[in-house]
Amino acid sequence: MNTTTHRGRVLATLLTAALLGGCDFISPTETNPNAVPTASVDQLFTGIQVNSFFLSEGQMSRISSLWTQQMAGTDRQFAIIDGYVIDEESADDEFEAIYTGGGLIDLKEAIAQAEDGGRRAYAGILKVHQAFMFGMAASVFGDIPYSEAANAEIAEPALDEQADVYASVQSLLDEAIGDLASGQGTGPGSVDLNFGGDPAKWTAVARTLKARYHLHWAEVNSSAYQSALAEAQQGVMTVDENWKAIHSTSATENNLWYQFMRDRSGYISAGDYLVPKMVADGDPRLPLYYSEASGGGYAPRDSELGTAYGASDFDFPIVTCSENAFIMAEAHFHLGNEGSARSAALAGLACQEATWGVDLSAQAAVLEAATGDALFEAIMGEKYTALFLNLEAWNDYKRTCLPAITERPGGMPARLYYGQQERQSNQNIPEAGQQPLRNDNDPNPCG
């Protein structure tokens, strides 16, 4: 992958402490000749935030949007990826990013600095970011280096089982929630681009992440629904608690999807499932997601049409009240509470209305009338629409096989290959042909 949408551009202004050197990227920062050895916790946190943005709306967002048919690959490598052909380079930079340049190396250092300085609430925010990165990574790569990674004494860290990574992430989120509740020490203040260090809002994000990661195991463990529900009931409830990737109209801080569509126009087009669905539903979010094409039909959204998807300063949703509500809806449904499932799904639509300033009463009417399997299909269909371009739409599909998209020939991949750079430097990473086709939390194909 060689596009100008990689980290370098968006990080240019924000990443004071960017660590972008060329060493083994799971080695400690000190081995990197380009590192900033005396970076402060604030400098490190800036890089960590921007790295989270990169991971949320970069290549993995593009790949998952093609496979869930929210978008379509129509040229060059993206036409190939659209047909389910991937390799070790497809998400190589993303695999690297979870460890360096605002990844695990910097996270460990920043958390240590915050804890040594008695700044527990700050450490809690950092732990939320670490949990986000590694829960997300485990969801797409499966077993990954984690417990031995970023350790000066271990040159080639072993792969941790996917279930163990998730368990560690859940424990880390529990630590974060405790830290945030402690009230100890000063937080990041304005260095926190989202919430200014607000512990209540970060606690809500942590709860929704816990719910998300419990739900990832529901395909193989039905008790996950109760755990997910318990956490989501304490999660993100309002739009002002939404966690987003923050952008501006400054060229160095532009939205990554905007950059990609500007520099690689024609590589990706409007999706062949979501667009017809939204047209058939009369969905008022359609012009916020796509633009009308000059020859008819729809195209990726024109960047000149204001602050929504496609705009240079669009703040990309990472964790939202809509997702949280639909997690509750799915959990309630599988626990046999259709009425509560319907109410939660309606709350998810209300979050979308508050986000976009649209009237979704027609979508609400479908939820209100549906029962049984039709209700569950409506819930997942609305979540799929609400999570436009979010990696969770792919995780949801792998778990529920909804919405009922028609997969391309050969069947949708269930995981991504490990990055080529790490495989070449770490003998614990198997060759591409020896890697599993599916992850442990997703043993059953949909197609």
Side-chain angles (χ1 to χ4, degrees), residues 207-225:
R207 293 290 186 183
T208 297
L209 285 175
K210 284 181 67 66
R212 175 192 287 186
Y213 297 147
H214 281 306
L215 205 60
H216 284 184
W217 286 89
E219 186 176 341
V220 296
N221 180 7
S222 60
S223 67
Y225 290 118

Side-chain angles (χ1 to χ4, degrees), residues 124-442:
I125 295 170
L126 292 162
K127 290 174 185 178
V128 172
H129 283 75
Q130 181 173 325
F132 163 70
M133 289 186 199
F134 282 87
M136 179 184 65
S139 78
V140 296
F141 296 111
D143 302 348
I144 55 174
Y146 186 50
S147 63
E148 293 184 351
N151 185 328
E153 298 180 357
I154 301 175
E156 298 182 59
L159 292 170
D160 289 1
E161 294 284 338
Q162 185 191 35
D164 293 337
V165 177
Y166 272 95
S168 295
V169 163
Q170 291 285 8
S171 295
L172 187 65
L173 286 167
D174 288 335
E175 286 182 26
I177 291 166
D179 289 340
L180 289 162
S182 72
Q184 294 180 13
T186 57
S190 62
V191 177
D192 177 359
L193 301 176
N194 276 270
F195 305 130
D198 187 324
K201 290 180 179 178
W202 279 115
T203 298
V205 170
R207 293 290 186 183
T208 297
L209 285 175
K210 284 181 67 66
R212 175 192 287 186
Y213 297 147
H214 281 306
L215 205 60
H216 284 184
W217 286 89
E219 186 176 341
V220 296
N221 180 7
S222 60
S223 67
Y225 290 118
Q226 187 62 61
S227 298
L229 178 60
E231 297 296 343
Q233 287 172 332
Q234 305 170 76
V236 176
M237 298 294 182
T238 62
V239 293
D240 69 336
E241 295 174 331
N242 288 351
W243 182 22
K244 303 176 184 178
I246 304 300
H247 297 287
S248 79
T249 56
S250 172
T252 57
E253 300 172 10
N254 287 165
N255 177 282
L256 294 183
W257 269 96
Y258 164 81
Q259 293 184 47
F260 180 86
M261 299 310 300
R262 179 196 63 202
D263 298 337
R264 296 292 183 265
S265 177
Y267 283 31
I268 290 179
S269 299
D272 47 359
Y273 185 91
L274 181 55
V275 169
K277 176 185 184 299
M278 297 184 83
V279 170
D281 294 348
D283 197 311
R285 291 166 291 186
L286 181 62
L288 300 168
Y289 289 9
Y290 306 100
S291 294
E292 293 187 20
S294 57
Y298 288 85
R301 196 170 184 280
D302 192 318
S303 62
E304 301 302 320
L305 296 180
T307 54
Y309 287 99
S312 62
D313 59 348
F314 177 65
D315 294 338
F316 187 90
I318 302 174
V319 175
T320 66
C321 59
S322 294
E323 178 191 356
N324 191 75
F326 286 118
I327 289 172
M328 289 192 285
E330 180 180 350
H332 275 304
F333 181 86
H334 283 286
L335 293 169
N337 307 318
E338 282 199 12
S340 297
R342 185 178 296 106
S343 296
L346 292 171
L349 287 183
C351 285
Q352 285 286 286
E353 290 180 325
T355 297
W356 297 114
V358 296
D359 180 2
L360 297 176
S361 56
Q363 286 69 31
V366 173
L367 287 167
E368 288 169 342
T371 59
D373 290 344
L375 173 60
F376 186 55
E377 290 173 9
I379 289 169
M380 296 311 301
E382 288 302 331
K383 187 181 182 187
Y384 164 80
T385 304
L387 268 60
F388 183 50
L389 306 184
N390 191 303
L391 178 64
E392 278 306 289
W394 181 37
N395 285 321
D396 287 344
Y397 177 77
K398 289 187 291 181
R399 181 179 67 257
T400 68
C401 301
L402 291 171
I405 64 177
T406 300
E407 294 188 11
R408 315 290 191 212
M412 186 188 301
R415 62 179 297 275
L416 300 179
Y417 290 114
Y418 300 119
Q420 183 180 57
Q421 296 176 69
E422 179 63 11
R423 196 262 302 162
Q424 291 175 336
S425 63
N426 184 349
Q427 65 180 352
N428 293 307
I429 305 295
E431 299 278 348
Q434 298 174 338
Q435 294 177 28
L437 295 177
R438 311 192 70 84
N439 294 326
D440 291 344
N441 69 333
D442 175 41

